[in-house]
Amino acid sequence: MSKILFVMTGVDYWTLADGTKHPTGFWAEEAVAPYKAFRAAGHEIVVATPGSVVPTVDKASLAAEVNGGQENADKIASALAAITELQNPIKLEDVNLDAYAAVVYPGGHGPMEDLAVDATSGKLLIDTLEAGKPLGVVCHAPAALLAAVKTDGSNAFAGYQVAAFTNSEETQAGFADKAKWLLETRLTDAGLQVQAGEPWVPNVVVDRNLVTGQNPASSAPLAAELLKKLA
């Protein structure tokens, strides 16, 4: 049994281009699906957030229409409520990477606000990459990769093939014309090679020890790929 670190957003809003704060946080499925898979395999989960803030779930991620109906939405909500680790996060600043076998970043719009500019998270990502430990990042969480800047100013993940929430998905979600910036565009500008799949269809990209997923539907397949690396 190994410890797996979940690094999660500490904010409950996303600042839009017009300055308004859109209520958000983390996306339920992106925490629940990997959590269930890792726990079923016997691993322990530790949650870390900036300042050890208890992470906020995006209420939109609990709606029936994004979970294939009310029955599934109820299952997600119930599973989420059972993740006691979410109520007791450690400080991101206090993470000792040596204690963990893998690191996972669930998404939601929250990481676009805080982890995208969090230097502590950026250093952790670089250290995880260099240590060769499995690193899973899904949906909007690849925004955190933008903070993984080396001393020479380049991005540590430049040249890596990744999946991330696409511009077309953001358009279909209704936020592309409201956002300050779009994830796919910024990752591309930073030198990452975004492998865009069809909107809302599972798409997981594995490049060395980095495993990335495009959208909420990619959460479970992403966990499966990480478990292969932990086997």
Side-chain angles (χ1 to χ4, degrees):
M1 182 170 119
S2 302
K3 278 188 183 177
I4 297 176
L5 182 71
F6 276 34
V7 179
M8 300 182 67
T9 180
V11 298
D12 60 3
Y13 65 89
W14 175 36
T15 307
L16 302 178
D18 65 0
T20 59
K21 291 184 175 181
H22 172 70
T24 186
F26 70 90
W27 199 259
E29 182 180 359
E30 296 166 27
V32 168
Y35 179 87
K36 289 172 71 174
F38 296 138
R39 291 293 291 145
H43 299 295
E44 182 182 341
I45 307 298
V46 176
V47 174
T49 62
S52 71
V53 174
V54 174
T56 298
V57 66
D58 188 326
K59 288 183 173 56
S61 69
L62 299 174
E65 56 267 29
V66 300
N67 287 295
Q70 191 59 50
E71 186 179 346
N72 274 346
D74 291 344
K75 285 180 181 176
I76 287 275
S78 176
L80 190 63
I83 303 178
T84 55
E85 293 90 342
L86 289 170
Q87 303 307 313
N88 301 287
I90 65 171
K91 280 186 181 178
L92 182 57
E93 299 84 349
D94 293 342
V95 166
N96 174 13
L97 182 60
D98 292 342
Y100 303 98
V103 178
V104 178
Y105 277 66
H109 278 116
M112 300 272 283
E113 184 75 27
D114 62 350
L115 298 180
V117 293
D118 191 301
T120 302
S121 171
K123 183 179 186 304
L124 176 65
L125 286 164
I126 292 173
D127 291 347
T128 306
L129 194 69
E130 292 178 346
K133 296 191 177 191
L135 172 60
V137 193
V138 66
C139 200
H140 284 94
L145 304 180
L146 297 170
V149 179
K150 298 191 289 189
T151 52
D152 65 2
S154 67
N155 191 287
F157 293 88
Y160 274 75
Q161 295 189 26
V162 297
F165 201 70
T166 63
N167 291 357
S168 61
E169 285 169 321
E170 203 71 85
T171 300
Q172 291 178 29
F175 289 109
D177 59 347
K178 301 174 185 174
K180 285 183 180 178
W181 48 272
L182 296 177
L183 181 57
E184 181 183 351
T185 300
R186 282 287 299 275
L187 291 171
T188 301
D189 290 347
L192 286 75
Q193 299 174 10
V194 180
Q195 308 297 307
E198 289 297 313
W200 315 112
V201 175
N203 176 32
V204 173
V205 174
V206 181
D207 189 344
R208 287 156 277 186
N209 58 314
L210 177 65
V211 182
T212 48
Q214 179 171 316
N215 44 37
S218 304
S219 305
L222 174 124
E225 288 295 337
L226 288 169
L227 284 170
K228 287 181 193 174
K229 289 184 172 293
L230 288 166

